[in-house]
Amino acid sequence: MSDTESRNNFPIDEVIARLREAVRPLPRAAMFELAARGYDSLFEQIVACILSIRTKDEVSLPVAERLFAVARTPQQVAALSVAALADLIAASTFAEAKAPQIREIAALSLAEYGGGLPCDYEALTRLRGVGPKCANLALGIACAVPSISVDVHVHRIVNRWGYVQTNRPEQTMTALEGKLPQPYWIELNALLVPFGKHLCTGTRPRCSTCPIRQICAQVGVTNPR
Ligand code: SF4
């Protein structure tokens, strides 16, 4: 079977079913965990995603909760000084840069959108500090808009499967939009973040105990466990 035939025949329904079982005992990805704890507004999801950039979930999740305990609406965030905001989010990587971005988004929300934010990809990616990954994740979780959020885990894993062949996350997003069934678009990130952190890890993935090892092409995997 050629690579192309192999990719087109990839049993994605079966893979998703096995992934659901595999990640069930694992901690949820930070944004989905925050939504489960009630922080599911578009503003909260955008802010939490900015806080998660270059920051481990174990750090960004409590940082988001610390901020939201003080300010969780655009009105409340805009009432804080940048210095106070930076202090609240200090444990997040690049907090000094993120504080003015978050405050600017709060002010723009009040000035342009009546204290909300639009469920619109173009509008969200125009916000300073918000890229495709955060826009799509927030759109999916807060707005239920079918969106594929591609982070390092999603990019690495779907390439290892042989499901896509791409070099950059932006290419992966486009490739997945062309072949992944839409009902899985939001869920894919929720599955592959814990799967990538604990099983299909960046170095030495745990292939010997992987529930989809018979399906995966293991592209580029040279030293599995
Ligand atoms: S078989 Fe290995 S490379 Fe493939 S998904 Fe499983 S852990 Fe990842």
Side-chain angles (χ1 to χ4, degrees):
M1 186 183 297
S2 72
D3 282 355
T4 303
E5 286 170 330
S6 170
R7 280 199 305 282
N8 289 340
N9 291 334
F10 192 82
I12 190 66
D13 297 319
E14 178 64 25
V15 166
I16 294 287
R18 294 189 192 187
L19 290 175
R20 285 174 181 153
E21 284 304 311
V23 306
R24 202 180 301 280
L26 301 175
R28 270 191 286 246
M31 306 286 291
F32 292 90
E33 180 59 34
L34 283 167
R37 295 182 190 183
Y39 303 108
D40 58 357
S41 74
L42 184 52
F43 179 73
E44 287 165 335
Q45 286 287 312
I46 286 288
V47 169
C49 195
I50 291 172
L51 293 174
S52 77
I53 294 171
R54 304 274 176 166
T55 308
K56 289 185 187 308
D57 279 2
E58 295 74 16
V59 174
S60 74
L61 202 148
V63 168
E65 286 204 294
R66 182 172 186 229
L67 170 62
F68 295 153
V70 175
R72 61 184 295 183
T73 66
Q75 289 90 339
Q76 291 165 340
V77 170
L80 295 172
S81 68
V82 170
L85 196 47
D87 188 50
L88 280 166
I89 66 169
S92 175
T93 307
F94 303 135
E96 296 292 330
K98 291 174 180 177
Q101 289 171 356
I102 291 169
R103 196 169 179 284
E104 186 178 300
I105 291 169
L108 189 83
S109 163
L110 296 174
E112 301 278 331
Y113 301 116
L117 287 174
C119 289
D120 179 79
Y121 178 83
E122 301 300 331
L124 293 179
T125 49
R126 275 198 297 272
L127 301 172
R128 198 158 64 93
V130 180
K133 184 192 80 164
C134 281
N136 273 347
L137 200 50
L139 277 175
I141 295 173
C143 305
V145 172
S147 315
I148 303 174
S149 178
V150 177
D151 68 353
V152 290
H153 298 294
V154 174
H155 175 64
R156 178 180 72 250
I157 296 166
V158 294
N159 272 284
R160 281 179 174 171
W161 292 348
Y163 191 52
V164 303
Q165 286 181 310
T166 54
N167 296 316
R168 292 184 294 108
E170 295 75 22
Q171 296 170 335
T172 303
M173 186 176 83
T174 304
L176 288 174
E177 285 171 350
K179 68 191 311 182
L180 181 69
Q182 203 175 78
Y184 300 141
W185 283 20
I186 299 170
E187 186 182 12
L188 188 72
N189 185 282
L191 294 172
L192 293 191
V193 170
F195 186 69
K197 286 173 71 173
H198 297 277
L199 296 160
C200 191
T201 46
T203 53
R204 306 212 61 209
R206 299 177 184 276
C207 299
S208 63
T209 55
C210 177
I212 59 169
R213 66 187 177 282
Q214 309 297 349
I215 299 168
C216 176
Q218 294 177 283
V219 175
V221 175
T222 54
N223 193 17
R225 282 179 278 189

